[in-house]
Amino acid sequence: MPSPLPPTELYASERVVVLVSCGLSFLGSSLLVCTHALWPELRTRPRQLLLYLSLADLLSALSYFYGVLQDFDKTSWDCVLQGALSTFSNTSSFFWTMAIALYLYITIVRGSPTGTGLVCCFHVMSWGIPLGITVAAVALKKIGYDASNVSVGWCWVNLDAEDRVLWMLLTGKVWEILAYVTLPVLYLLIKKHINRAHAALSEYRPILSRAPAFQPQTSIADKKLILIPVIFIILRIWSTVRFILTLCNSPAVQNSVLVVLHGIGNTFQGGANCIMFVLCTRVIRTRLFSYICCCHYDELDWPLRRSSSNWQCSEPPKNNDVSGPEQTKPLLSST
């Protein structure tokens, strides 16, 4: 039997990079939650599912941040707590990511009507299964110090456990590998169905298919569908690579580049979702920038408004029930 690998030493630069990734993921997930709260008219069913994914990524970023900041060197109560929170949120993130892909497949390809029943099933699976696995792992004392060979400073499955491989699979890896297979298949089927619909549309409506405004929107939607599984795999594959290297007892698991890629991949999911579904979504991006610019303008202009005695809104409204054009013009001009 080969001797076990020594703990992976985390350098200060590596910790800083992963902490920054955690912070960006936290901000990205928070921004997704805020946009969902700000504009009720944009709360479509897929974006509701995205909200639950963002909540899981939010908790994941916080737990990973604490773990990297502490850089645990033994099993302690806060190590177990952090490991339990990251296990639950990370596994839940896998389930919600697959739930969104499954929902799009059912509605777009199958054309089946969906209601609250399907969303309830998603809630039971995406919150219930990770919670059950995490509670069992904590109760059986499987969460603890892992020498950073399968993590980057945070706690996960205790490497002293005899059945550690089984619990590594149950608490993340089996769902991660399942997502590697499921997501590309579902999104390729969705893209294939959309391409067929576009081909039929171009056959019967050639004027619309050749319109300049039609092709860019189609191209953007297709690219985003392809990017979803690609970005997920690019972020998560490094964690799987280090997991396999740990099972093989290979010293390459302590390679600094792999450690940094693993740390960024596990912590930046919320930031990647924010880039795709906020910054790269024209409707959300336009509203967000307009909202930020409007708030910034109001803050800069507030002293001038207070000093102006002739400003219309400085007087109390005579009739609170009036909702005429005078009240809607500023709002329309700012958005």
Side-chain angles (χ1 to χ4, degrees):
M1 288 290 292
S3 59
L5 292 171
T8 299
E9 181 182 358
L10 293 182
Y11 300 104
S13 58
E14 296 172 348
R15 294 175 63 190
V16 168
V17 171
V18 180
L19 288 172
V20 170
S21 178
C22 291
L24 292 175
S25 184
F26 175 82
L27 292 176
S29 299
S30 301
L31 189 57
L32 279 164
V33 174
C34 290
T35 56
H36 190 273
L38 281 175
W39 301 299
E41 65 275 12
L42 298 178
R43 295 175 189 171
T44 60
R45 185 57 58 81
R47 285 202 164 266
Q48 289 180 353
L49 301 180
L50 182 62
L51 171 68
Y52 306 135
L53 172 61
S54 300
L55 293 175
D57 289 334
L58 192 68
L59 180 59
S60 180
L62 288 173
S63 60
Y64 282 140
F65 186 91
Y66 182 79
V68 178
L69 193 64
Q70 291 291 103
D71 190 14
F72 294 104
D73 57 1
K74 63 180 181 179
T75 300
S76 57
W77 70 269
D78 55 341
C79 168
V80 174
L81 178 60
Q82 180 272 313
L85 290 176
S86 61
T87 297
F88 167 73
S89 57
N90 198 42
T91 308
S92 180
S93 178
F94 293 151
F95 275 91
W96 280 117
T97 302
M98 290 189 289
I100 293 173
L102 183 60
Y103 176 85
L104 294 176
Y105 173 79
I106 292 174
T107 55
I108 295 176
V109 178
R110 293 298 180 182
S112 303
T114 58
T116 56
L118 181 63
V119 178
C120 289
C121 289
F122 287 156
H123 277 291
V124 171
M125 294 181 61
S126 301
W127 299 123
I129 294 178
L131 181 61
I133 293 174
T134 303
V135 170
V138 173
L140 296 174
K141 298 182 179 179
K142 304 300 179 180
I143 302 294
Y145 175 62
D146 59 8
S148 292
N149 290 333
V150 285
S151 69
V152 187
W154 57 79
C155 290
W156 187 32
V157 176
N158 195 333
L159 290 184
D160 292 334
E162 295 182 358
D163 52 353
R164 58 185 178 276
V165 176
L166 172 63
W167 283 100
M168 286 180 186
L169 291 172
L170 286 176
T171 57
K173 291 306 166 188
V174 69
W175 314 113
E176 189 175 67
I177 295 171
L178 181 62
Y180 291 155
V181 178
T182 304
L183 292 178
V185 170
L186 289 177
Y187 281 108
L188 284 176
L189 291 175
I190 294 171
K191 186 178 184 300
K192 185 177 180 181
H193 179 81
I194 292 176
N195 289 339
R196 287 179 179 177
H198 290 162
L201 186 62
S202 62
E203 179 180 354
Y204 292 102
R205 301 179 63 183
I207 297 178
L208 179 60
S209 65
R210 295 169 186 167
F214 177 79
Q215 293 179 354
Q217 292 176 0
T218 302
S219 176
I220 292 173
D222 289 347
K223 288 179 180 178
K224 187 175 291 186
L225 284 176
I226 296 173
L227 284 176
I228 291 173
V230 169
I231 291 177
F232 178 86
I233 293 174
I234 289 176
L235 288 176
R236 294 291 182 173
I237 193 66
W238 312 109
S239 170
T240 306
V241 169
R242 290 193 75 216
F243 168 69
I244 295 173
L245 290 175
T246 300
L247 296 183
C248 298
N249 209 41
S250 172
V253 74
Q254 300 180 344
N255 182 276
S256 296
V257 176
L258 275 180
V259 171
V260 172
L261 289 174
H262 180 187
I264 294 175
N266 267 47
T267 59
F268 194 65
Q269 190 66 50
N273 290 337
C274 178
I275 292 173
M276 282 193 296
F277 298 110
V278 175
L279 301 182
C280 292
T281 302
R282 185 179 59 83
V283 175
I284 306 295
R285 183 178 67 246
T286 302
R287 288 197 175 207
L288 181 64
F289 288 168
S290 298
Y291 179 82
I292 293 174
C293 293
C294 181
C295 291
H296 180 65
Y297 174 80
D298 289 344
E299 290 176 359
L300 292 177
D301 199 40
W302 179 244
L304 180 61
R305 291 180 179 179
R306 293 186 62 184
S307 62
S308 176
S309 59
N310 295 325
W311 188 54
Q312 181 180 358
C313 292
S314 62
E315 299 177 0
K318 296 180 180 180
N319 188 355
N320 292 331
D321 297 330
V322 175
S323 58
E326 292 80 11
Q327 294 183 358
T328 59
K329 282 182 181 179
L331 178 61
L332 293 175
S333 62
S334 64
T335 57

